[in-house]
Amino acid sequence: MIYTSLAAFIISLGLIPLIFIFCKKFNVYDSINARKIHTGKVPRLGGVAIFISFSISFFVYIFAFSTSHMLFPVFMWIGAFMIFVMGVLDDFINLRARLKFLIQCTAAFIVVSGGYRFKQILFIQVPPLVGQIFTFFWIVGVINAFNLIDGLDWLCSGISFLIFATLHIVFARSAVDYSAICLILSCSIAGFMVYNKPPAKIFLGDGGSQFLGYFAAVCPLFYSTLNYEYNKFLIMLVLASIPLTDTIAAIWRRTREHRSIFSPDKSHVHHKLMNIGLSKKGALGVLLGIQVLICLSVGLAMYLKTFEGTVLLLLSFAFILLIFSTLHYINRAVNRRINKEQKNITRRLTRKFEKGQR
């Protein structure tokens, strides 16, 4: 486990300079527009380093070190490869939203058709068909949630690193092989984060963010114990609560405004934090700090009895909802104040103009 994880970190770290050369030669840089908060030419193929370093170390571990039947991780990797290739192509040629959605659905179907699903959702045992349908939409939803949260240096990569590091600890108690896979991916992300720290020299790109979202979505399906199965969905709901809550808010906002749910805007959680006065690093610090608290609560919940652990997870999710709700109202108050000030300025300028005309 240690050797393959270290190899993943080194390979990821070593691939980034090669990606810089490739992006410079073929002019592959992230687009700059009114929605983006960065300036300058920044490569957007960082996900390539994560995927390649993870894949190499992943297969080395499976064939050289694994001691158990690892069929599901192979299913997982096939879907991950589809998502990654689709994301990289989107970075180059901007694929249509419907085509991307179709590929995401295909990758989710591969996992579900292999028999992997949520058997229990919160406190309710669900029939196989219901579990398969729910798992299908869960995978597609989390993929897009991680893609949408990738709007600030270190944010998506930092959240992903903390999630997989936490899952490494969660699985370590009873599933060493699955714990190793999560540690390998954490180290691949860590190698990328060296270059992604603010101000970022490279971005994840759609290939990277959607690959990480896919992997986070299928991680709960790896393995089951009695205590873990009882809280499996809740654990992942809490761990991924920042991108998921932000995505649900975005869908609601765009639907309310009669816009396409795929239309971009500058009202994501990191935009709101900056709008109320935080710097980019300040917004990043707040969100990663919250994610650390989330991960600590999940880790603690796994060492508690089933009931106590469930209560802690529910309180953690309620905490996230409270933060998002509070931030929403603060941001709305700030926007109202800004709009009022702009109207006052417009009135004053109009009066001056009218006096000048007289």
Side-chain angles (χ1 to χ4, degrees):
M1 182 190 301
I2 299 298
Y3 296 118
T4 50
S5 300
L6 182 59
F9 175 79
I10 294 172
I11 295 171
S12 178
L13 195 66
L15 284 174
I16 300 295
L18 299 179
I19 294 173
F20 286 151
I21 296 172
F22 175 87
C23 290
K24 183 176 181 180
K25 182 176 181 179
F26 294 97
N27 197 36
V28 183
Y29 297 106
D30 192 51
S31 59
I32 299 175
N33 53 49
R35 188 172 60 91
K36 301 295 178 67
I37 59 176
H38 74 277
T39 57
K41 292 184 175 181
V42 182
R44 57 182 302 181
L45 294 178
V48 173
I50 293 177
F51 182 80
I52 292 177
S53 61
F54 167 74
S55 296
I56 292 173
S57 300
F58 168 78
F59 282 109
V60 168
Y61 179 82
I62 285 181
F63 292 113
F65 299 103
S66 175
T67 58
S68 62
H69 182 59
M70 301 287 282
L71 178 61
F72 175 67
V74 175
F75 266 89
M76 173 275 300
W77 186 89
I78 293 172
F81 178 74
M82 293 176 59
I83 294 296
F84 168 72
V85 171
M86 177 268 291
V88 171
L89 287 175
D90 190 42
D91 287 328
F92 278 98
I93 59 177
N94 291 321
L95 299 176
R96 296 180 64 180
R98 289 182 180 179
L99 177 59
K100 291 189 288 184
F101 182 70
L102 177 62
I103 296 173
Q104 291 170 354
C105 290
T106 303
F109 179 77
I110 289 174
V111 174
V112 173
S113 63
Y116 303 99
R117 61 180 176 85
F118 286 109
K119 299 176 182 177
Q120 180 168 319
I121 301 172
L122 297 182
F123 309 104
I124 305 171
Q125 293 284 344
V126 295
L129 180 60
V130 174
Q132 289 172 343
I133 294 172
F134 182 86
T135 303
F136 176 87
F137 285 106
W138 161 265
I139 294 172
V140 174
V142 175
I143 291 171
N144 287 285
F146 275 65
N147 190 33
L148 288 175
I149 202 68
D150 186 27
L152 197 63
D153 301 344
W154 249 26
L155 182 54
C156 184
S157 57
I159 288 175
S160 300
F161 172 81
L162 291 169
I163 287 175
F164 295 122
T166 302
L167 288 172
H168 159 65
I169 296 171
V170 169
F171 286 127
R173 298 184 65 189
S174 55
V176 175
D177 286 334
Y178 298 110
S179 175
I181 292 172
C182 291
L183 181 60
I184 288 169
L185 183 52
S186 296
C187 290
S188 294
I189 297 170
F192 163 78
M193 290 179 69
V194 172
Y195 291 93
N196 186 236
K197 64 181 180 181
K201 297 179 181 178
I202 190 170
F203 296 149
L204 274 172
D206 285 350
S209 61
Q210 295 195 49
F211 162 66
L212 294 176
Y214 171 84
F215 203 96
V218 301
C219 262
L221 311 174
F222 277 173
Y223 184 76
S224 292
T225 61
L226 183 61
N227 184 44
Y228 175 63
E229 183 66 40
Y230 186 79
N231 284 322
K232 179 186 287 187
F233 172 71
L234 188 56
I235 286 171
M236 288 312 302
L237 182 65
V238 172
L239 281 177
S241 56
I242 291 178
L244 283 173
T245 306
D246 186 56
T247 299
I248 293 170
I251 292 173
W252 168 251
R253 181 173 62 248
R254 293 164 187 175
T255 302
R256 183 188 60 206
E257 297 171 357
H258 305 290
R259 294 189 289 122
S260 167
I261 61 173
F262 299 106
S263 62
D265 58 32
K266 293 190 70 173
S267 297
H268 291 288
V269 61
H270 48 282
H271 293 126
K272 290 178 180 178
L273 286 168
M274 289 187 288
N275 188 51
I276 65 177
L278 272 67
S279 64
K280 294 179 184 179
K281 290 185 178 180
L284 175 68
V286 168
L287 292 172
L288 290 186
I290 294 171
Q291 186 65 43
V292 169
L293 294 177
I294 290 171
C295 293
L296 288 174
S297 71
V298 169
L300 178 59
M302 293 304 297
Y303 286 90
L304 297 175
K305 294 181 180 180
T306 301
F307 177 76
E308 287 83 356
T310 303
V311 171
L312 177 58
L313 291 170
L314 288 171
L315 289 174
S316 299
F317 187 66
F319 170 69
I320 296 300
L321 294 180
L322 177 62
I323 289 177
F324 267 78
S325 299
T326 303
L327 179 58
H328 167 74
Y329 286 109
I330 294 175
N331 181 67
R332 189 168 70 174
V334 169
N335 285 335
R336 286 177 176 174
R337 190 193 71 224
I338 292 173
N339 291 334
K340 185 177 180 180
E341 291 174 351
Q342 289 176 342
K343 288 180 180 178
N344 289 336
I345 292 173
T346 301
R347 289 195 191 100
R348 287 197 294 267
L349 291 174
T350 302
R351 289 170 184 170
K352 286 183 180 180
F353 177 76
E354 290 174 349
K355 288 181 180 179
Q357 290 294 317
R358 294 172 187 172

